[in-house]
Amino acid sequence: MNYKTVLVTGASAGFGLATARLLANNGYKVIALARREDKLKELSSLSDNIYPVAMDVTDAKAVETLVSSLPDGFKDIDVIVNNAGLALGVEKAQECSLENWKTMVDTNVLGVLNVTHTILPSLVKKNKGFIINLGSTAGSWPYVGGNVYGATKAFVEQFSRNLRTDVQGSAIKVTVIKPGLCSDTEFSYVRLNGDEKKVNDLYSGTKSILPEDIANTILWLLNNPAHVNVNEIEMMPVCQAYGGLKVVKDLDFTEKK
Ligand code: 8X3
């Protein structure tokens, strides 16, 4: 094993949960961060390799304190999986709630920064470490209703490239994974405000990427030789592809009074 101790954010569901489980089963020590204590308890009951921490990544002070209070066996973090994130709504920008926009920026951008800023210096100091950030196809490919969610993921993508550039000259690795349509997570339930019909419509007839697919990718990344850095991975289910550019015909330019 190239690395031993992994911090996974958003570990109570979806990609984070699948990753925490898989890595713990493969002998990694996993610090599982999430807001929901009950879900974390369930997860940590599965393995002694999991140390649960109920915490909100948007709380910079709490993230800082955590790192200095980890128990023996979990203190020496090698890997960060910045997975915590969410999308809220699919409305067009002109119809969105500002609160939703701010919540997405808080978790998807500031959450990643809080965790990375706290831990990165220690990785560089020991010349060992791996930062794996969860971006999205929405960060590269615009779609109607993607507005701020896509923009936060574009931030994660570019931040990952810039991190990679800053740590060059050390043994630290940085990868951004950009998944497309994924099912069996809470992502779309949260985004569509728990509307089960809309969620079912979205996934019906598709075979989407599963949390296990992302977890397996992360395990593969960790097992790559020390000299190999995978900069970016974009993953879509086979049933998804690019949509092409859209042209509106007979567009009305008259100003409305
Ligand atoms: C998830 C992919 O297409 O729902 O990040 O935005 S998408």
Side-chain angles (χ1 to χ4, degrees):
M1 264 163 63
N2 301 329
Y3 306 97
K4 212 172 81 197
T5 309
V6 184
L7 174 83
V8 180
T9 70
S12 60
F15 302 162
L17 176 63
T19 302
R21 268 201 209 128
L22 183 71
L23 297 187
N25 287 341
N26 278 271
Y28 291 87
K29 293 284 184 191
V30 178
I31 304 154
L33 240 76
R35 282 174 304 175
R36 290 173 298 178
E37 207 161 1
D38 51 328
K39 296 269 176 198
L40 285 175
K41 264 201 186 127
E42 247 172 69
L43 170 65
S44 61
S45 68
L46 300 175
S47 164
D48 290 344
N49 283 341
I50 297 178
Y51 179 71
V53 182
M55 176 179 290
D56 189 337
V57 287
T58 65
D59 184 345
K61 275 269 162 297
V63 175
E64 269 176 37
T65 315
L66 161 76
V67 172
S68 52
S69 63
L70 288 166
D72 286 345
F74 292 89
K75 278 188 200 310
D76 192 15
I77 297 172
D78 300 314
V79 182
I80 311 171
V81 179
N82 275 314
N83 162 71
L86 80 171
L88 293 172
V90 284
E91 293 82 19
K92 289 185 175 176
Q94 55 272 33
E95 291 145 16
C96 286
S97 125
L98 182 59
E99 275 317 301
N100 280 354
W101 279 3
K102 286 181 177 172
T103 304
M104 288 187 275
V105 170
D106 275 352
T107 304
N108 302 1
V109 175
L110 293 179
V112 170
L113 297 185
N114 289 339
V115 173
T116 307
H117 188 264
T118 303
I119 297 166
L120 179 62
S122 63
L123 304 184
V124 173
K125 194 164 166 213
K126 67 177 177 174
N127 196 31
K128 181 178 179 186
F130 200 157
I131 298 181
I132 298 173
N133 292 332
L134 266 296
S136 167
T137 48
S140 309
W141 311 107
Y143 59 84
V144 174
N147 46 73
V148 168
Y149 173 66
T152 63
K153 291 301 184 178
F155 174 92
V156 171
E157 187 173 333
Q158 190 64 5
F159 181 53
S160 305
R161 293 184 187 131
N162 282 333
L163 277 178
R164 176 76 200 102
T165 311
D166 285 352
V167 298
Q168 188 183 19
S170 77
I172 314 301
K173 300 189 191 188
V174 183
T175 300
V176 58
I177 303 176
K178 302 181 287 178
L181 189 71
C182 300
S183 66
D184 295 54
T185 74
E186 294 178 354
F187 178 83
S188 293
Y189 283 93
V190 173
R191 182 172 210 173
L192 299 168
N193 207 13
D195 187 326
E196 221 152 291
K197 180 171 178 333
K198 284 189 185 161
V199 174
N200 290 339
D201 286 350
L202 176 66
Y203 294 113
S204 74
T206 73
K207 176 80 191 138
S208 304
I209 287 182
L210 299 171
E212 291 68 27
D213 300 322
I214 301 299
N216 285 329
T217 302
I218 289 173
L219 183 62
W220 170 76
L221 284 169
L222 296 182
N223 282 328
N224 274 336
H227 66 282
V228 175
N229 190 86
V230 177
N231 296 335
E232 307 181 10
I233 299 178
E234 185 174 83
M235 297 168 71
M236 292 185 194
V238 176
C239 64
Q240 185 178 37
Y242 313 105
L245 298 176
K246 180 174 149 188
V247 175
V248 173
K249 303 224 174 163
D250 304 320
L251 186 62
D252 180 7
F253 288 97
T254 31
E255 187 177 341
K256 307 222 172 28
K257 300 272 182 228

